[in-house]
C-alpha cells in the first residue's frame, strides 16, 4: 500500500513543477504529516525530493529526475494498453502517434511485463459501431481531430436539413457514439457550446488562430447533458399503461431507458391485483404501439383512446387467428 503511494507521489511530482503538502495530501488521500514522512522516505531511498520552505513552498524533484515504469503491477500494465481504441485512433489520423507511444511505454516496462500489450489485446476488443452498418469515417474528421488537439479554431459549413450554415468554431472535444462521430464545440468569440454530427460538415478548414479553453468545460459532463436533452426532446407524447408485475420488470427493456425511469419513478402503489398504472413518455403513438406490443398481455393501454382502440383491434385479430376453430 505504501509502496504504491510513494510511486504515485513521484509520478505526481514528475508531472508538475511543484506541489504543496496540502495538494499532495488531497491527491494521495492521506494527511500532510504522512506526506512529510513519505517525502523523507523517498529522499533516503535516493529520489531527489526537495522541500521548499515558506508560504509559497512545496515539494519538487530536482536535477531533471525521471523514474522508469518499474512500479507497475501486471494488471496495471495490461489496463494501460486497454485505453487505446485502434479504430477511433485510425479514423482521427492518430494511429502512428499512438503506436509510437505504446512502443515507448513497452520499452520502459520491466522485462517481465513486456507481454502486457499482447495479453490485453487477446482479452479485450472494442467494436464501437452498431450492428448491420458499415462504419465509415467522415472525411473532415482528421482535420477536426488535429484542431481539437492543437486548440485551433475551424471554419465550417454545416448542413441543417436542406440548408447550409457557416460557422466559426472552437473545437473542444470529440465523441464516438455507436459508430457516429460528434464534435462538441463553442461558437467562436464567446458563443454557446453546441454538438455537431461530423458527417454533416460539408467543409472544414483549420485556422492558424488558437483559442483559450474554458477551464470549467467538462467533455463527459457536457455530452451526458446533451444526450439526455436530446432524449427528452423526442418524447413528445404520453401513454397511460397498466402493467402486471412481469410487465413492470420488462418495461425498461421495451421502451427508452429515460421513459422507463420516469414512468416507474412517478408511479403510485399497485392496485388490488398487483398491477401498476404508469404514465410513459413516448416519441409518438406509432412508436408506443410498436414498443408496447412487445409486452403482450402484461400491459393494458388506458389512454389515449385511439391507441387503446388500436390494441383492442390487435387483440381481436389475434383471438380470431388463434381461436379454437383455427387450432
Amino acid at each position: 500500500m505504501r509502496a504504491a503511494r510513494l510511486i504515485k507521489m513521484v509520478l505526481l511530482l514528475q508531472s508538475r513543477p511543484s506541489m504543496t503538502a496540502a495538494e499532495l495530501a488531497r491527491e494521495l488521500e492521506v494527511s500532510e504529516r504522512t506526506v512529510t514522512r513519505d517525502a523523507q522516505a523517498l529522499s533516503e531511498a535516493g529520489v531527489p525530493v526537495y522541500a521548499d520552505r515558506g508560504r509559497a513552498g512545496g515539494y519538487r524533484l530536482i536535477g531533471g529526475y525521471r523514474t522508469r515504469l518499474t512500479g507497475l503491477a501486471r494488471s496495471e500494465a495490461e489496463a494501460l494498453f486497454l485505453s487505446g481504441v485502434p479504430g477511433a485512433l485510425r479514423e482521427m489520423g492518430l494511429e502512428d502517434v499512438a503506436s509510437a507511444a505504446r512502443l515507448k511505454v513497452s520499452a520502459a516496462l520491466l522485462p517481465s511485463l513486456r507481454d502486457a500489450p499482447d495479453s490485453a489485446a487477446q482479452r479485450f476488443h472494442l467494436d464501437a459501431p452498431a450492428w448491420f452498418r458499415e462504419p465509415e469515417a467522415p472525411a473532415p474528421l482528421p482535420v477536426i481531430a488535429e484542431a481539437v488537439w492543437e486548440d485551433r479554431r475551424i471554419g465550417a459549413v454545416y448542413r441543417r436539413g436542406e440548408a447550409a450554415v457557416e460557422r466559426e468554431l472552437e473545437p473542444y472535444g470529440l465523441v464516438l457514439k455507436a459508430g457516429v462521430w460528434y464534435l462538441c464545440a463553442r461558437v467562436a468569440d464567446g458563443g454557446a457550446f453546441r454538438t455537431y454530427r461530423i458527417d454533416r460538415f460539408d467543409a472544414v478548414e483549420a485556422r492558424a488562430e488558437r483559442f483559450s479553453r474554458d477551464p470549467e468545460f467538462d467533455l463527459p459532463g457536457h455530452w451526458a447533458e446533451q444526450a439526455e436533452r436530446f432524449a427528452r426532446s423526442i418524447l413528445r407524447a404520453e401513454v397511460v399503461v397498466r402493467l402486471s408485475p412481469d410487465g413492470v420488470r420488462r418495461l425498461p427493456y421495451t421502451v427508452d431507458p429515460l421513459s422507463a425511469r420516469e414512468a416507474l419513478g412517478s408511479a403510485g402503489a399497485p392496485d388490488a391485483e398487483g398491477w401498476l398504472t404508469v404514465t410513459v413518455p413516448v416519441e409518438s403513438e406509432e412508436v408506443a404501439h410498436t414498443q408496447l406490443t412487445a409486452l403482450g398481455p402484461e400491459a393494458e393501454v388506458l389512454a389515449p383512446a385511439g391507441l387503446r382502440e388500436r390494441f383492442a383491434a390487435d387483440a381481436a385479430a389475434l383471438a380470431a387467428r388463434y381461436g379454437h376453430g383455427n387450432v
Side-chain angles (χ1 to χ4, degrees):
M1 180 69 176
R2 190 190 185 197
R5 190 176 70 240
L6 292 175
I7 292 170
K8 184 176 180 180
M9 183 174 181
V10 173
L11 294 175
L12 285 169
L13 293 174
Q14 280 185 188
S15 65
R16 308 177 194 181
S18 68
M19 295 183 69
T20 66
E23 290 171 335
L24 284 167
R26 185 166 55 252
E27 291 282 354
L28 300 172
E29 299 181 350
V30 296
S31 66
E32 293 186 31
R33 185 182 296 274
T34 298
V35 168
T36 301
R37 288 198 297 265
D38 286 351
Q40 181 64 32
L42 287 171
S43 181
E44 292 174 355
V47 178
V49 178
Y50 181 78
D52 292 313
R53 305 296 179 185
R55 179 178 298 178
Y59 293 92
R60 59 187 175 89
L61 295 174
I62 60 176
Y65 178 85
R66 310 294 294 177
T67 182
R68 288 170 57 85
L69 297 176
T70 55
L72 287 176
R74 169 165 290 278
S75 60
E76 294 170 329
E78 291 173 344
L80 178 65
F81 287 95
L82 287 180
S83 61
V85 185
L89 292 170
R90 182 173 57 254
E91 292 179 1
M92 288 189 291
L94 298 174
E95 185 177 26
D96 291 342
V97 176
S99 178
R102 287 193 295 268
L103 183 61
K104 290 178 181 179
V105 172
S106 296
L109 292 171
L110 289 172
S112 60
L113 299 178
R114 296 281 168 81
D115 65 336
D118 292 334
S119 176
Q122 293 304 317
R123 286 166 172 78
F124 179 81
H125 174 68
L126 176 63
D127 186 8
W131 285 102
F132 311 118
R133 61 176 299 170
E134 188 68 25
E136 182 176 346
L141 179 59
V143 174
I144 294 175
E146 184 175 1
V148 168
W149 286 111
E150 297 183 355
D151 294 340
R152 293 188 184 276
R153 285 187 176 186
I154 61 173
V157 178
Y158 189 73
R159 280 180 285 110
R160 284 187 172 175
E162 298 299 323
V165 295
E166 295 186 8
R167 288 283 184 267
E168 287 288 319
L169 300 174
E170 297 173 352
Y172 269 65
L174 294 166
V175 175
L176 177 60
K177 172 71 171 179
V180 179
W181 284 96
Y182 296 86
L183 170 67
C184 298
R186 184 167 63 179
V187 178
D189 300 320
F193 284 101
R194 296 177 181 173
T195 303
Y196 302 87
R197 272 187 64 142
I198 292 182
D199 58 7
R200 292 181 183 167
F201 283 112
D202 285 337
V204 174
E205 181 181 353
R207 307 300 194 202
E209 181 182 359
R210 297 178 184 270
F211 65 91
S212 297
R213 282 180 168 264
D214 181 349
E216 300 298 321
F217 179 77
D218 172 40
L219 179 59
H222 172 80
W223 175 257
E225 181 181 337
Q226 292 294 309
E228 182 169 351
R229 184 178 301 171
F230 171 75
R232 289 184 180 278
S233 71
I234 64 174
L235 301 177
R236 302 185 180 93
E238 289 184 342
V239 175
V240 181
V241 186
R242 186 167 172 261
L243 299 170
S244 71
D246 189 46
V248 170
R249 287 191 294 270
R250 290 164 53 186
L251 185 68
Y253 307 100
T254 306
V255 300
D256 298 323
L258 178 61
S259 298
R261 286 199 304 271
E262 292 195 358
L264 298 177
S266 60
D271 59 23
E273 298 178 13
W275 286 54
L276 192 68
T277 299
V278 298
T279 299
V280 185
V282 294
E283 185 174 345
S284 66
E285 287 189 25
E286 183 68 31
V287 172
H289 178 260
T290 301
Q291 293 175 331
L292 297 177
T293 295
L295 293 177
E298 306 305 321
E300 177 189 0
V301 174
L302 303 179
L307 184 60
R308 179 178 174 85
E309 291 171 1
R310 190 167 179 176
F311 273 99
D314 290 347
L318 286 172
R321 190 175 302 266
Y322 291 99
H324 293 294
N326 295 327
V327 176

